[in-house]
Amino acid sequence: MFRTSLLVAALAVVVTAPEGAAQGGRGGGGRGGAAAGPPPPPTNAQALPVDRANAPYVRATPPTNAGIQRIWEEGMQRSQVMKLAQQFLDSVGPRLTGSTDADRAQAYLLSKYSEWGIPARIENYGTWTGWQNGAAFAALTFPRRRNLEVNPMGWTPGTEGQWREGDVVMIPENVTTPEAFAAWVPSARGKFVMLSAPQLSCRQAGQWNEFGTVASRERLRAEQSALSASFNQRLLAAGGARGIQQRLKDAGVAGALTFQFSAYPGINKVFGSPAQQVPTIDVSCEDYGLLYRLAENKQSPKMRLYVDAQKFDERPIGNVIAEIKGTTKPNEYVILSAHFDSFTGGSGATDNGTGTLTMFEAMRILKAAYPNPKRTILIGHWNSEEQGLNGSKAFAEDHPEIVKGIHALFNQDNGTGRIVSISPGPFAKVGSILSGYLSELPSEATQWVRLGGTSPFGGVGSTDHTTFVCYKAPGIGTGALSWDYSNTTWHTQRDTYDKLVPEDLRNNAVLIAMLAYMASEDPTFMPRDLVPQETWPNCPLATRRASESAR
């Protein structure tokens, strides 16, 4: 949070700066009075239009298909996607599996589908640890006083309406066996225990590479490697990240502190586990390093903590399923696929709010512009993807008749940017069919899309379409521009609404709606011929209870 004085100063700079300076020199009035040219194109090659010589599906003329024209007009001229995004990400927020936030998200989806006249339901498939999200507040109280930047980890217990205050300690360096940990842990009673190795420098690697000497970079690498290995050994002696929690609870510790750097100052990965038994918080890189140095140098750091969260017993969880029934082939399916669950650090905006919103808006467009599809168009808002694709796995297990009838499934799950790649996966004849679909669409959407080739199926992976591919149903992944997804937003506390790119999100929703239309209208059922491969992987079953999860 900005202090008031800094905010006033920043505003003063903007207000008093020359117009050209305030606008980065665009539109004239900049330094020297010379008019600036247009902004340069993006520097990432994937963000540029495809080479049309290698993309015959990109039209040179406007589309003539009346259905495509209706969908394009509805999606581009009457888009609701950013309004939906603001409601879903700002008002509902993150959607941890089993949480009351996830309940609110599902209620929101159902209410909008009801408003649009699309039948929708929750299909429960199991139970998960219940949790009510809440704010976390922390402060260093000795040897000086200052706020600490913290976030509650998913499924953490709260502090039961009380502030907790105590010393900050680390597991000693010589605690490298279970026996040594058992002897030490009683001394941690009433204290906060640091579980993770600190980051010795919270600068981004690019700055070290730009300015650091070879000697300083090598020194940092060696020291960080040794420190991380030492902390890992101590954690293993304590039973690992899951096992230590019960031991800390039994010892009566005040709480646990953890940290995972995400390459840039101010950005952390924030996860969590139902195995947490004591209040467990993520601490910013800089503040975690401060606590570490104070403890390491025996300067007796103390802190206080309040976590307004509640952990419950396991409770029912499920997927939101909505469908527009097919008129002539109701038992054949075009499926729009995206998981709606998230972790708790930010708002789950790009993982996977954007995928959810892409498919959600696509359904709205289809209902408005194509209300009587030939095949049933079904959307799956999968739960518990983050714990191992459990929602989509459960759906596939529970509905073999739907899996058998899948004509095409389109999945989106990797960030906010424009969809720039589509792959047929292991299905030998699907690539040419997708090329035919794309050739009917406006070039404004298809000019960004690289249509990939076939490849053998390596097994159920990190996103939901692979669940269905495992059952040899044509699940099609759609890859988006990353916008540095892995470091900036994926599972971080900075994964928030402001990271969305409205033009790209609108593009994606319309593209998916048009592909769904083409798939529904296709007179021939999608062939399932596979590229040759020696063996086919097993299809793992859903984990339907948190108590059965290893995460």
Side-chain angles (χ1 to χ4, degrees):
M1 180 180 294
F2 288 108
R3 294 179 184 270
T4 303
S5 58
L6 292 178
L7 179 58
V8 170
L11 289 172
V13 170
V14 174
V15 170
T16 59
E19 180 181 353
Q23 297 179 355
R26 297 180 186 174
R31 187 171 297 177
T43 58
N44 186 298
Q46 292 292 307
L48 299 172
V50 297
D51 179 356
R52 297 196 181 198
N54 299 319
Y57 48 83
V58 180
R59 296 180 63 91
T61 59
T64 57
N65 185 303
I68 292 297
Q69 291 171 343
R70 288 193 301 271
I71 290 171
W72 181 261
E73 179 182 340
E74 178 65 30
M76 287 299 178
Q77 296 185 18
R78 291 179 288 278
S79 175
Q80 296 293 307
V81 72
M82 293 310 294
K83 179 180 179 180
L84 297 172
Q86 189 279 321
Q87 294 169 350
F88 192 63
L89 302 176
D90 288 347
S91 186
V92 175
R95 304 161 299 280
L96 187 73
T97 299
S99 69
T100 55
D101 289 336
D103 293 346
R104 293 171 57 237
Q106 291 188 317
Y108 172 78
L109 294 171
L110 292 176
S111 70
K112 297 305 291 186
Y113 282 127
S114 176
E115 179 184 321
W116 299 336
I118 301 174
R121 61 192 182 275
I122 296 175
E123 288 192 359
N124 288 335
Y125 62 81
T127 62
W128 211 261
T129 304
W131 194 63
Q132 181 173 306
N133 201 351
F137 306 92
L140 180 71
T141 59
F142 187 85
R144 59 190 177 98
R145 302 180 70 86
R146 70 182 297 272
N147 290 336
L148 298 173
E149 183 182 351
V150 300
N151 281 283
M153 299 289 281
W155 299 288
T156 180
T159 56
E160 301 176 332
Q162 303 291 322
W163 283 91
R164 296 189 180 185
E165 186 161 5
D167 295 337
V168 178
V169 299
M170 298 176 290
I171 302 171
E173 189 173 1
N174 61 356
V175 174
T176 57
T177 66
E179 295 76 17
F181 180 80
W184 169 81
V185 74
S187 69
R189 183 176 183 82
K191 299 175 183 178
F192 294 96
V193 181
M194 303 181 73
L195 304 183
S196 310
Q199 191 79 8
L200 294 176
S201 172
C202 298
R203 290 187 181 277
Q204 61 201 63
Q207 291 182 343
W208 279 96
N209 293 334
E210 184 176 0
F211 300 109
T213 65
V214 172
S216 65
R217 281 182 278 151
E218 177 56 27
R219 184 268 309 162
L220 179 64
R221 185 202 62 78
E223 290 180 356
Q224 186 68 63
S225 178
L227 187 61
S228 297
S230 175
F231 266 81
N232 288 342
Q233 182 58 47
R234 300 178 220 183
L235 191 61
L236 286 173
R242 289 173 58 86
I244 192 175
Q245 286 280 335
Q246 186 63 49
R247 294 174 173 85
L248 293 178
K249 181 181 179 181
D250 293 343
V253 305
L257 312 180
T258 188
F259 154 76
Q260 185 174 343
F261 194 47
S262 190
Y264 300 127
I267 304 180
N268 280 11
K269 304 290 188 194
V270 183
F271 292 93
S273 168
Q276 289 163 166
Q277 300 294 320
V278 299
T280 304
I281 58 169
D282 166 80
V283 184
S284 72
C285 183
E286 293 78 6
D287 288 348
Y288 197 86
L290 168 64
L291 294 172
Y292 164 74
R293 293 188 300 274
L294 291 171
E296 175 70 9
N297 290 287
K298 298 179 172 55
Q299 292 164 6
S300 305
K302 296 181 185 294
M303 65 172 283
R304 62 198 310 254
L305 174 68
Y306 186 97
V307 180
D308 184 23
Q310 290 182 279
K311 184 179 178 182
F312 311 127
D313 292 335
E314 293 199 25
R315 55 202 295 268
I317 58 168
N319 302 312
V320 172
I321 306 298
E323 55 188 342
I324 306 172
K325 272 292 184 185
T327 55
T328 60
K329 300 177 181 179
N331 295 323
E332 295 182 11
Y333 294 87
V334 177
I335 296 183
L336 310 187
S337 167
H339 76 90
F340 82 93
D341 63 304
S342 75
F343 281 104
T344 62
S347 299
T350 67
D351 187 21
N352 184 35
T354 45
T356 298
L357 291 158
T358 291
M359 302 303 172
F360 195 34
E361 167 73 349
M363 281 293 276
R364 184 199 68 79
I365 293 168
L366 288 165
K367 180 62 176 178
Y370 184 52
N372 299 303
K374 292 182 178 178
R375 292 184 171 92
T376 295
I377 299 177
L378 182 148
I379 186 168
H381 296 287
W382 314 123
N383 207 337
S384 195
E385 185 269 355
E386 300 292 2
Q387 290 73 55
L389 315 187
N390 292 321
S392 60
K393 287 177 181 176
F395 183 85
E397 293 165 28
D398 295 345
H399 294 285
E401 77 289 354
I402 292 179
V403 173
K404 182 180 179 181
I406 293 175
H407 173 79
L409 177 147
F410 300 98
N411 186 72
Q412 217 289 303
D413 179 23
N414 71 328
T416 189
R418 292 188 302 282
I419 290 173
V420 294
S421 65
I422 297 177
S423 171
F427 299 99
K429 298 180 180 179
V430 168
S432 61
I433 294 170
L434 290 174
S435 179
Y437 290 176
L438 291 168
S439 70
E440 295 292 321
L441 312 188
S443 61
E444 290 88 341
T446 59
Q447 66 177 322
W448 312 107
V449 177
R450 281 94 178 147
L451 183 57
T454 55
S455 59
F457 181 58
V460 173
S462 60
T463 191
D464 291 294
H465 73 280
T466 61
T467 291
F468 299 91
V469 175
C470 198
Y471 291 99
K472 301 181 181 178
I476 298 160
T478 61
L481 290 173
S482 79
W483 288 78
D484 199 27
Y485 170 73
S486 296
N487 293 323
T488 303
T489 58
W490 179 72
H491 295 174
T492 77
Q493 83 277 37
R494 308 303 181 202
D495 190 12
T496 47
Y497 174 90
D498 58 285
K499 307 306 186 302
L500 305 187
V501 181
E503 297 83 359
D504 289 1
L505 195 52
R506 183 169 59 245
N507 171 86
N508 293 353
V510 177
L511 175 63
I512 292 295
M514 292 188 295
L515 287 171
Y517 166 83
M518 293 300 302
S520 175
E521 290 286 301
D522 193 335
T524 304
F525 191 65
M526 190 76 77
R528 299 191 175 194
D529 307 64
L530 300 169
V531 297
Q533 62 182 87
E534 291 185 6
T535 59
W536 191 263
N538 293 325
C539 301
L541 299 179
T543 301
R544 295 180 184 249
R545 294 178 57 85
S547 59
E548 299 169 355
S549 175
R551 300 194 179 207

